[in-house]
Amino acid sequence: MAERAGYTVTMFVIDVSPSMAKTREVLLAPGPDGEQRTKEITNLEWALEFVLLKVQEMIFAGRKTDQCGVILFGTKKTKNCVNDSNGGYDHVTEYIPIAQPTQHTMELISAIKPSKVQGDALDGLIVAIQTQALHLGKKKTWTRKVTILTDGESPLNTEDWENTAEKLNELDVRTTIIGVDFDDDDFKEEDKSEQKAENEQFYNLMGAQIEKCLIGSCYQALEDCALPDIKIVKPAAKHIILRLGYHYPDHVEDDDDGDDGEAEKGIEISARVHKVTSKASPVSLKRFIKRGGGRDGGGGKSTQQDEDEDDVMEDAEETKPDVGAMYAPVERETRYHLRPPAPEKKEDEDVKLEDVDADAEHEVPTLGDMVEAEDLVKGYKYGATWVLIDEEFDKLPTKAGIEGGRVIGFMHASKFQRWYLMGEIYSLSADDKSIRSQIALSSFIRGMVIKDVLAIVRWVHADGADPKMAICCPIVEVERDYLFMARVPFAEDLRNYTFPSLDDLKNKKGEAATKHPFVTTDEMVTAMEKWVDKMDLMEAAEGPDGSPEPWYDMSASYNPSIHRLKTALFHGAVFPDLENNPIPPPHPELTKYLEPPSEVVERSKKALEKLKKAVDVKLVPPKVRGKKKANEVDATLHTQDDFDVADLLGDEGDAGPVVPSRSIASLSLKSPFIASQKLEAEKKKSKMDLDDQDTEDEDDQPHRAGRSHLPTPDRSPPSAPTEKKTNLTRQERDVRQGRIIGNAFPLNDFRENLKEGDVVSKALKDMAAVIPEIVDESFSTQRYDEAIQCMREMRRTALQEDDIDIWNDFLHELKEKCQRPGYKRKDFWDKVKGIGMQISLITDKEAELHEGYSAISELQSVQLVETLDFKKIADAVHTAIQTEAAPSANKPTWAAVVTVTSVAPVLSMSIYVGTYCQGFGSTKSLATDAASGQMLRLFATYGVQPTLRR
């Protein structure tokens, strides 16, 4: 039968006789290397572990109606309510009065020590019954529990024990007798004393006369404490009104006509609702701080205890620590601080990794300026964006709800989806004191069963609370009819998502794919079916009679995170020294379903290997992601990406070393990203008029050898900036459903959304969808420049925010779309190719500079946009050759330098103006051939055949 949560008084009757001082060895959790460890404790300490665990469970429950008290028998002095009124019952002490347990209770229990006087367990039991009865009085609804802990070595006065058993039955006391080394099915104590054997026999006899009594050993009791326990409690029912057949007014408004709304009323049914299921959650981490400076210095022992260690129970009142000096609860205090600015990093600062780790270990988080709660603005998170709500919004009148439920409609049971259910299940039944309500609700429920419908209810759990939607399912039983009610989402909260088919795969051309890793074959399906059959658990276990039965039993399956955390917290509260008293291993019942049965695994190995071979399983290395918002990089500085021509080509043939000339600068090839940044820096530094320069013909511009190794600016016309519009509606900005970027002013929308909040990924994905649409909707080439400008901004943001995959995937899809047969905007891709590497794929070297990751190489990035046949373009690259004779006494030596003088726009980010190669020879022709050979080998990596002009 389910217990009522709380409303329980538990009396612990503990034996402190001299025999409880006997020591024993108990097993501990294995050591770090798996070695077996033990500790030596007394029988009393072993029994107190059970008491401490039970008391700790009450403390964590935190119910004021969950109370306990401690009675000790075998103490030197006597102090109990029965002795005070009638005398007798010596050596029994009411050590802890009945109250809600606290950490102070734990400290008092831990201070209990064996005495030198024997006590009678039946005297302690009678005192516990009387103390409990005086405390509860006539409260019949409270649960009474008595737990006796003894080793059974002390003599018992068994006269009139039957009256004691009858009193326990009369008061409906749940009695538990826990004996140290009592015999059970798995244990038989050897060399047991006659007194203990006689007492153990008596306990079994008395337990048979008590209606609610359990007898067991201390070992079993501690094992049961570690066993996961699901408590079935009796929920408290709540009275509500269920309304049908009208729109009940949720708030009273002024009615000039004086209509009281009686015509709108329908049926009101008095009902009661209570929980059927409740979500199990980990125990709350209530924190207490232990104060120093107690009555005796904080150890819990007085001077008198030190003098008489063998009889700490001589004066229980004097030995009790001061609860105010022992423990104090940690109270929460909330303060608001601004986020401090990130510290600036010095480029020349040399920081060792060891220093960073040491500082991080002892680092104290720094807080910014404190702000008052009144200065803050309430905000709600919508997706990844914070929406601020001002005070005026909170002051708007709301439609206050009235407690109860109102049926607003019905739906056919076949149309209900299982994933609609949210939260816990409630039971709604008619008020047992109202016959009219019982008849009305039963008629309503049976009508729902006949029509096979479910009721949609607007539910308000308290006056003024926000309404929620619920679904009610009718249940008809022999004794009563009732409804199961569960919360469901509002219609606006339902989202429909579509996913690509796993069976019907198509390639980029729209054709059905027949060969693909995701396309299953008959061999794969057969292998999977055989493996699943071998892993069947429905007959993997044996029943009591030897017949096969399911291996998994849901009722015996527990949540390891909940129960293991509870065990750890309780153990830490009972044993503060975790090094000498480590947390015991998990209970076998908690771990038995964590691994599949070994027999099933063994028999399915062959089927698994065949399945791996059929589907060609391969290990995919983890994808390394970089940090977002990388530090700014000075593109004008030399980096490890720089490499000289000599390093690239090496010394081959008769080509001499590449040496700088006074008329030619020492140059190096850069990655496209570095070159692009240098280009921007060079433009700003020289303050060139970009608009005028971009309109000039690049081939007509003079290029002096050695003037600059930077690439020539692209010849694409400047993109027309999108006209800035403010305070426009979503319809005016042409924002399609599910997007935050509009088709009318995409660039402005993109930049504004980046300022509002952390919606970078969403903005990039929307921009990737908008750009092809504005190209398709463009009148001729009117919006091409705008699309290019959006692509530039999208690429820059993806690189800085480490959303590189979004950009690279978008560019691949854009190229595939533009080159699709029959597409009318193929000229847009020609414009993209004309710009070149500036809006090509983001390479691995570019991503590395921003601490990001990309799987695209520079060659792949070049190949995406540079699809021209360079060998057929004679004017792709122009070079110039200079020769000079070096003076020599015997034979003159000639030096020749081949310099790139101009580059076509499509190669401007791969081959740079000013790149040179130098060669030497005994004649002018040999020197020219040596230099030209180096240049040809260099350009061959790009598939370029330059034109030599002598």
Side-chain angles (χ1 to χ4, degrees), residues 83-155:
N83 179 269
D84 294 341
S85 59
N86 301 323
Y89 299 91
D90 298 330
H91 308 299
V92 178
T93 299
E94 184 183 354
Y95 181 53
I96 299 178
I98 297 175
Q100 181 186 4
T102 62
Q103 292 291 337
H104 177 44
T105 309
M106 302 276 293
E107 192 75 18
L108 289 175
I109 295 174
S110 300
I112 299 176
K113 301 293 181 182
S115 68
K116 296 181 179 179
V117 181
Q118 288 185 340
D120 191 335
L122 291 181
D123 288 349
L125 176 60
I126 294 172
V127 171
I129 296 172
Q130 185 64 19
T131 304
Q132 190 180 63
L134 292 175
H135 178 77
L136 292 178
K138 297 183 180 180
K139 298 178 180 178
K140 297 182 179 181
T141 58
W142 283 58
T143 302
R144 307 180 186 217
K145 295 182 180 180
V146 174
T147 301
I148 304 174
L149 296 102
T150 180
D151 61 355
E153 295 286 357
S154 299

Coordinates of all heavy atoms in Angstrom, one line a residue, residues 83-155:
N83 N 9.9 6.0 33.2 CA 10.6 6.1 34.5 C 10.2 7.3 35.3 O 10.0 7.2 36.5 CB 12.1 6.0 34.3 CG 12.8 6.1 35.6 OD1 13.2 7.2 36.1 ND2 13.1 4.9 36.2
D84 N 10.0 8.4 34.6 CA 9.6 9.6 35.3 C 8.2 9.5 35.9 O 7.9 10.0 37.0 CB 9.6 10.8 34.4 CG 11.0 11.1 34.0 OD1 12.0 10.7 34.6 OD2 11.2 11.8 32.9
S85 N 7.3 8.7 35.3 CA 5.9 8.6 35.8 C 5.6 7.4 36.6 O 4.9 7.4 37.6 CB 4.9 8.6 34.6 OG 5.2 7.5 33.7
N86 N 6.3 6.2 36.3 CA 6.0 5.0 37.0 C 7.2 4.3 37.6 O 7.0 3.3 38.3 CB 5.3 4.0 36.0 CG 4.0 4.5 35.4 OD1 3.3 5.2 36.1 ND2 3.8 4.2 34.1
G87 N 8.4 4.8 37.3 CA 9.6 4.2 37.8 C 9.9 3.0 36.9 O 9.2 2.6 36.0
G88 N 11.0 2.3 37.3 CA 11.5 1.2 36.5 C 12.1 1.6 35.2 O 12.5 2.8 34.9
Y89 N 12.3 0.6 34.3 CA 12.9 0.8 33.0 C 14.2 1.6 33.1 O 14.5 2.6 32.5 CB 11.9 1.6 32.1 CG 10.6 0.8 31.8 CD1 9.5 1.0 32.7 CD2 10.5 -0.1 30.8 CE1 8.4 0.3 32.5 CE2 9.4 -0.8 30.6 CZ 8.3 -0.6 31.5 OH 7.1 -1.3 31.3
D90 N 15.1 1.0 33.9 CA 16.4 1.6 34.2 C 17.3 1.4 33.0 O 17.1 0.5 32.2 CB 17.0 0.9 35.4 CG 16.2 1.2 36.7 OD1 15.5 2.2 36.8 OD2 16.2 0.3 37.6
H91 N 18.3 2.2 33.0 CA 19.4 2.2 32.0 C 18.8 2.4 30.6 O 19.3 1.9 29.6 CB 20.2 0.9 32.0 CG 20.7 0.6 33.4 ND1 21.6 1.4 34.0 CD2 20.4 -0.5 34.2 CE1 21.9 0.9 35.2 NE2 21.2 -0.3 35.4
V92 N 17.7 3.2 30.5 CA 17.1 3.6 29.2 C 17.1 5.1 29.1 O 16.5 5.7 30.1 CB 15.7 3.0 29.0 CG1 15.1 3.4 27.7 CG2 15.7 1.4 29.1
T93 N 17.6 5.7 28.1 CA 17.7 7.1 28.0 C 17.1 7.6 26.7 O 17.4 7.0 25.6 CB 19.2 7.6 28.0 OG1 19.8 7.1 29.2 CG2 19.3 9.1 27.9
E94 N 16.3 8.6 26.8 CA 15.7 9.3 25.6 C 16.8 10.3 25.1 O 16.9 11.4 25.6 CB 14.4 10.0 25.9 CG 13.8 10.7 24.7 CD 12.6 11.4 25.0 OE1 12.1 11.4 26.1 OE2 12.0 12.1 24.1
Y95 N 17.7 9.8 24.2 CA 18.9 10.5 23.8 C 18.5 11.7 22.9 O 19.0 12.8 23.1 CB 19.8 9.6 23.1 CG 21.1 10.2 22.7 CD1 21.9 10.9 23.6 CD2 21.6 10.1 21.4 CE1 23.1 11.5 23.2 CE2 22.8 10.6 21.0 CZ 23.6 11.3 21.9 OH 24.7 11.9 21.5
I96 N 17.7 11.5 21.9 CA 17.3 12.6 21.0 C 15.8 12.6 21.0 O 15.1 11.7 20.6 CB 17.8 12.3 19.6 CG1 19.4 12.3 19.6 CG2 17.4 13.4 18.6 CD1 20.0 12.0 18.2
P97 N 15.2 13.8 21.4 CA 13.7 13.9 21.4 C 13.2 13.8 20.0 O 13.9 14.1 19.0 CB 13.5 15.2 22.1 CG 14.7 15.5 22.8 CD 15.8 14.9 22.0
I98 N 11.9 13.5 19.8 CA 11.3 13.5 18.5 C 11.3 14.8 17.9 O 10.7 15.8 18.5 CB 9.9 12.9 18.6 CG1 10.0 11.4 19.1 CG2 9.2 12.9 17.2 CD1 8.6 10.8 19.4
A99 N 11.8 15.0 16.7 CA 11.8 16.3 15.9 C 12.3 16.0 14.5 O 12.7 14.9 14.2 CB 12.7 17.3 16.6
Q100 N 12.2 17.0 13.7 CA 12.7 16.9 12.3 C 14.2 16.8 12.4 O 14.9 17.6 13.0 CB 12.3 18.1 11.5 CG 12.8 18.0 10.0 CD 12.5 19.2 9.2 OE1 12.0 20.2 9.8 NE2 12.8 19.2 8.0
P101 N 14.8 15.8 11.8 CA 16.3 15.6 11.9 C 17.0 16.7 11.1 O 16.6 17.2 10.1 CB 16.6 14.2 11.3 CG 15.4 14.0 10.4 CD 14.2 14.7 11.0
T102 N 18.2 17.0 11.7 CA 19.1 18.0 11.0 C 20.5 17.5 11.1 O 20.7 16.4 11.5 CB 19.0 19.4 11.8 OG1 19.5 19.2 13.1 CG2 17.6 19.9 11.8
Q103 N 21.4 18.3 10.6 CA 22.8 17.9 10.7 C 23.3 17.7 12.1 O 24.2 16.9 12.4 CB 23.7 18.9 9.9 CG 23.5 19.0 8.4 CD 24.0 17.7 7.7 OE1 24.9 17.0 8.2 NE2 23.5 17.5 6.6
H104 N 22.7 18.5 13.0 CA 23.0 18.3 14.4 C 22.6 16.9 14.9 O 23.3 16.3 15.7 CB 22.2 19.4 15.2 CG 22.3 19.3 16.7 ND1 23.5 19.0 17.3 CD2 21.4 19.3 17.7 CE1 23.4 19.0 18.6 NE2 22.1 19.2 18.9
T105 N 21.5 16.3 14.4 CA 21.1 15.0 14.7 C 22.2 14.0 14.3 O 22.5 13.0 15.0 CB 19.8 14.6 14.1 OG1 18.8 15.7 14.4 CG2 19.2 13.3 14.5
M106 N 22.7 14.2 13.1 CA 23.8 13.3 12.6 C 25.0 13.4 13.5 O 25.6 12.3 13.8 CB 24.2 13.7 11.2 CG 23.1 13.7 10.2 SD 22.8 12.1 9.5 CE 24.3 11.9 8.5
E107 N 25.3 14.5 14.0 CA 26.5 14.7 14.9 C 26.2 14.0 16.2 O 27.1 13.4 16.8 CB 26.7 16.2 15.1 CG 28.1 16.5 15.8 CD 29.2 16.3 14.8 OE1 29.0 16.3 13.6 OE2 30.4 16.2 15.3
L108 N 25.0 14.1 16.7 CA 24.7 13.4 18.0 C 24.8 11.9 17.9 O 25.3 11.2 18.7 CB 23.3 13.8 18.5 CG 23.2 15.3 19.0 CD1 21.7 15.5 19.3 CD2 24.0 15.5 20.2
I109 N 24.3 11.4 16.8 CA 24.3 9.9 16.6 C 25.7 9.4 16.4 O 26.1 8.3 16.9 CB 23.4 9.5 15.3 CG1 21.9 9.9 15.6 CG2 23.5 8.1 15.0 CD1 21.0 9.7 14.4
S110 N 26.5 10.2 15.7 CA 27.9 9.8 15.5 C 28.7 9.8 16.9 O 29.7 9.1 17.0 CB 28.6 10.7 14.5 OG 28.0 10.7 13.3
A111 N 28.2 10.5 17.9 CA 28.9 10.6 19.1 C 28.6 9.4 20.1 O 29.1 9.3 21.2 CB 28.6 11.9 19.8
I112 N 27.6 8.5 19.7 CA 27.2 7.4 20.6 C 28.4 6.4 20.7 O 29.0 6.0 19.7 CB 26.0 6.8 20.0 CG1 24.8 7.8 20.0 CG2 25.6 5.6 20.9 CD1 23.5 7.2 19.4
K113 N 28.7 6.0 22.0 CA 29.8 5.0 22.2 C 29.2 3.9 23.1 O 28.2 4.1 23.8 CB 30.9 5.7 22.9 CG 31.6 6.8 22.1 CD 32.3 6.3 20.9 CE 32.9 7.5 20.1 NZ 33.5 7.0 18.9
P114 N 29.8 2.7 23.1 CA 29.4 1.7 24.0 C 29.6 2.0 25.5 O 30.5 2.8 25.8 CB 30.2 0.5 23.6 CG 30.7 0.8 22.2 CD 30.8 2.3 22.2
S115 N 28.7 1.5 26.3 CA 28.9 1.8 27.8 C 29.4 0.5 28.5 O 29.8 -0.5 27.8 CB 27.5 2.2 28.3 OG 26.6 1.1 28.3
K116 N 29.3 0.5 29.8 CA 29.7 -0.7 30.6 C 28.5 -1.3 31.3 O 28.7 -2.2 32.2 CB 30.7 -0.2 31.7 CG 32.0 0.3 31.0 CD 33.0 0.7 32.1 CE 34.3 1.2 31.5 NZ 35.3 1.6 32.6
V117 N 27.3 -0.9 30.9 CA 26.1 -1.4 31.6 C 25.2 -2.1 30.6 O 25.1 -1.6 29.5 CB 25.3 -0.3 32.3 CG1 24.1 -0.9 33.0 CG2 26.2 0.4 33.3
Q118 N 24.7 -3.3 30.9 CA 23.8 -4.0 30.0 C 22.4 -3.5 30.1 O 22.0 -3.0 31.2 CB 23.8 -5.5 30.3 CG 25.1 -6.2 30.0 CD 25.0 -7.7 30.2 OE1 24.1 -8.2 31.0 NE2 25.9 -8.5 29.5
G119 N 21.7 -3.5 29.0 CA 20.3 -3.0 29.0 C 19.4 -4.0 28.4 O 19.8 -5.0 27.7
D120 N 18.1 -3.8 28.6 CA 17.0 -4.7 28.1 C 16.4 -4.1 26.9 O 15.9 -2.9 26.9 CB 16.0 -4.9 29.2 CG 15.0 -6.0 28.9 OD1 14.8 -6.3 27.7 OD2 14.5 -6.6 29.8
A121 N 16.4 -4.8 25.8 CA 15.8 -4.3 24.5 C 14.3 -4.1 24.6 O 13.8 -3.1 24.1 CB 16.1 -5.3 23.4
L122 N 13.6 -4.9 25.4 CA 12.2 -4.8 25.5 C 11.8 -3.5 26.3 O 10.8 -2.8 26.0 CB 11.6 -6.0 26.2 CG 11.5 -7.3 25.4 CD1 10.9 -8.4 26.2 CD2 10.8 -7.1 24.1
D123 N 12.7 -3.2 27.3 CA 12.5 -1.9 28.0 C 12.6 -0.7 27.1 O 11.8 0.2 27.1 CB 13.5 -1.8 29.2 CG 13.2 -2.7 30.3 OD1 12.1 -3.3 30.3 OD2 14.0 -2.9 31.2
G124 N 13.6 -0.8 26.2 CA 13.8 0.3 25.2 C 12.7 0.4 24.3 O 12.2 1.5 23.9
L125 N 12.1 -0.8 23.9 CA 11.0 -0.8 23.0 C 9.7 -0.2 23.6 O 9.0 0.6 23.0 CB 10.7 -2.3 22.5 CG 9.5 -2.5 21.6 CD1 9.6 -1.7 20.3 CD2 9.3 -4.0 21.4
I126 N 9.5 -0.5 24.9 CA 8.3 0.0 25.5 C 8.4 1.5 25.7 O 7.5 2.3 25.5 CB 8.1 -0.7 26.9 CG1 7.7 -2.2 26.6 CG2 7.0 0.0 27.7 CD1 7.7 -3.0 27.9
V127 N 9.6 2.0 26.1 CA 9.8 3.4 26.2 C 9.6 4.1 24.8 O 9.0 5.2 24.8 CB 11.2 3.7 26.8 CG1 11.6 5.2 26.7 CG2 11.3 3.2 28.2
A128 N 10.1 3.5 23.8 CA 9.9 4.1 22.4 C 8.4 4.2 22.1 O 8.0 5.2 21.5 CB 10.7 3.3 21.4
I129 N 7.7 3.2 22.4 CA 6.2 3.2 22.1 C 5.5 4.3 22.8 O 4.7 5.0 22.3 CB 5.6 1.8 22.4 CG1 6.2 0.7 21.5 CG2 4.1 1.9 22.2 CD1 5.8 -0.7 21.9
Q130 N 5.8 4.4 24.1 CA 5.2 5.4 25.0 C 5.6 6.8 24.6 O 4.8 7.7 24.5 CB 5.5 5.2 26.4 CG 4.8 6.1 27.4 CD 3.3 5.9 27.4 OE1 2.8 4.9 26.9 NE2 2.6 6.9 27.9
T131 N 6.9 7.0 24.3 CA 7.4 8.3 23.8 C 6.7 8.8 22.5 O 6.3 9.9 22.3 CB 8.9 8.3 23.7 OG1 9.5 7.9 24.9 CG2 9.4 9.7 23.3
Q132 N 6.6 7.8 21.6 CA 5.9 8.1 20.3 C 4.5 8.4 20.5 O 3.9 9.3 19.9 CB 6.1 6.9 19.4 CG 5.8 7.1 18.0 CD 6.0 5.8 17.2 OE1 5.4 4.8 17.4 NE2 6.9 5.9 16.2
A133 N 3.8 7.7 21.4 CA 2.4 7.9 21.6 C 2.1 9.2 22.3 O 1.1 9.9 21.9 CB 1.8 6.8 22.5
L134 N 3.0 9.7 23.2 CA 2.8 11.0 23.8 C 3.0 12.1 22.8 O 2.3 13.1 22.9 CB 3.8 11.1 25.0 CG 3.5 10.2 26.2 CD1 4.6 10.4 27.3 CD2 2.1 10.5 26.8
H135 N 3.9 11.9 21.9 CA 4.2 12.9 20.9 C 3.1 13.1 19.9 O 2.7 14.2 19.5 CB 5.5 12.6 20.2 CG 5.8 13.6 19.1 ND1 6.4 14.9 19.4 CD2 5.7 13.6 17.8 CE1 6.6 15.5 18.3 NE2 6.2 14.7 17.3
L136 N 2.5 12.0 19.4 CA 1.5 12.0 18.4 C 0.1 12.2 19.0 O -0.8 12.7 18.3 CB 1.5 10.7 17.6 CG 2.8 10.5 16.7 CD1 2.7 9.2 16.0 CD2 2.9 11.7 15.7
G137 N -0.2 11.7 20.2 CA -1.5 11.9 20.7 C -2.5 11.1 19.9 O -2.3 9.8 19.8
K138 N -3.5 11.7 19.4 CA -4.6 11.0 18.7 C -4.5 11.2 17.2 O -5.5 11.1 16.4 CB -6.0 11.5 19.2 CG -6.2 11.2 20.6 CD -7.6 11.7 21.0 CE -7.9 11.4 22.5 NZ -9.3 11.9 22.9
K139 N -3.3 11.5 16.7 CA -3.1 11.6 15.2 C -3.0 10.2 14.6 O -2.0 9.6 14.5 CB -1.8 12.4 14.9 CG -1.8 13.8 15.5 CD -0.5 14.5 15.3 CE -0.5 15.9 15.8 NZ 0.8 16.6 15.6
K140 N -4.2 9.8 14.1 CA -4.2 8.4 13.6 C -3.7 8.4 12.1 O -3.4 7.3 11.7 CB -5.7 8.0 13.6 CG -6.3 7.8 15.0 CD -7.7 7.3 15.0 CE -8.3 7.1 16.4 NZ -9.6 6.6 16.3
T141 N -3.6 9.5 11.5 CA -3.1 9.4 10.1 C -1.6 9.4 9.9 O -1.1 9.2 8.8 CB -3.6 10.7 9.3 OG1 -3.2 11.9 10.0 CG2 -5.2 10.7 9.3
W142 N -0.9 9.6 11.0 CA 0.5 9.5 11.0 C 1.0 8.1 11.0 O 0.4 7.2 11.6 CB 1.2 10.3 12.2 CG 1.1 11.8 12.0 CD1 0.0 12.5 11.8 CD2 2.2 12.6 12.0 NE1 0.4 13.8 11.7 CE2 1.7 13.9 11.8 CE3 3.6 12.5 12.1 CZ2 2.5 15.1 11.8 CZ3 4.4 13.6 12.1 CH2 3.9 14.9 11.9
T143 N 2.1 7.8 10.3 CA 2.7 6.5 10.3 C 3.7 6.4 11.4 O 4.6 7.2 11.6 CB 3.4 6.2 9.0 OG1 2.5 6.4 7.9 CG2 4.0 4.9 8.9
R144 N 3.6 5.3 12.2 CA 4.5 5.0 13.3 C 5.5 3.9 13.0 O 5.1 2.8 12.5 CB 3.7 4.7 14.6 CG 2.6 5.7 14.9 CD 1.9 5.3 16.1 NE 0.7 6.2 16.3 CZ 0.3 6.6 17.5 NH1 0.9 6.2 18.6 NH2 -0.7 7.4 17.6
K145 N 6.8 4.1 13.2 CA 7.8 3.1 12.9 C 8.7 3.0 14.1 O 9.1 4.1 14.8 CB 8.6 3.5 11.7 CG 7.8 3.5 10.4 CD 8.7 3.8 9.2 CE 7.9 3.8 7.9 NZ 8.8 4.2 6.8
V146 N 9.2 1.8 14.4 CA 10.1 1.6 15.5 C 11.2 0.6 14.9 O 10.8 -0.5 14.4 CB 9.5 1.0 16.8 CG1 10.6 0.6 17.8 CG2 8.5 1.9 17.4
T147 N 12.5 1.0 15.1 CA 13.6 0.1 14.6 C 14.5 -0.2 15.7 O 15.0 0.8 16.4 CB 14.3 0.9 13.5 OG1 13.4 1.2 12.4 CG2 15.5 0.0 13.0
I148 N 14.7 -1.4 16.0 CA 15.6 -1.9 17.1 C 16.9 -2.4 16.5 O 16.8 -3.2 15.6 CB 14.9 -3.0 17.9 CG1 13.5 -2.5 18.5 CG2 15.8 -3.5 19.1 CD1 12.7 -3.6 19.2
L149 N 18.0 -1.9 17.1 CA 19.3 -2.4 16.6 C 20.1 -2.9 17.8 O 20.3 -2.2 18.8 CB 20.1 -1.2 16.0 CG 19.5 -0.6 14.7 CD1 18.8 0.7 15.0 CD2 20.6 -0.4 13.6
T150 N 20.4 -4.2 17.7 CA 21.0 -4.9 18.9 C 21.9 -6.1 18.3 O 21.7 -6.5 17.2 CB 20.0 -5.4 19.9 OG1 20.6 -6.1 20.9 CG2 19.0 -6.4 19.2
D151 N 22.8 -6.5 19.2 CA 23.5 -7.8 18.9 C 23.0 -9.0 19.5 O 23.5 -10.1 19.3 CB 25.0 -7.6 19.2 CG 25.2 -7.3 20.7 OD1 24.2 -7.2 21.4 OD2 26.4 -7.3 21.1
G152 N 22.0 -8.8 20.4 CA 21.3 -9.9 21.1 C 22.1 -10.6 22.1 O 21.7 -11.7 22.6
E153 N 23.1 -10.0 22.7 CA 24.0 -10.6 23.7 C 23.5 -10.2 25.1 O 23.9 -10.9 26.1 CB 25.4 -10.1 23.5 CG 26.1 -10.6 22.2 CD 26.4 -12.1 22.3 OE1 26.2 -12.7 23.3 OE2 26.9 -12.6 21.2
S154 N 22.6 -9.2 25.3 CA 22.2 -8.8 26.6 C 20.9 -9.6 27.0 O 20.1 -9.9 26.1 CB 21.9 -7.3 26.6 OG 23.0 -6.6 26.4
P155 N 20.7 -10.0 28.3 CA 19.6 -10.8 28.7 C 18.3 -10.0 28.5 O 18.3 -8.7 28.6 CB 19.8 -11.1 30.1 CG 20.8 -10.1 30.6 CD 21.7 -9.8 29.4

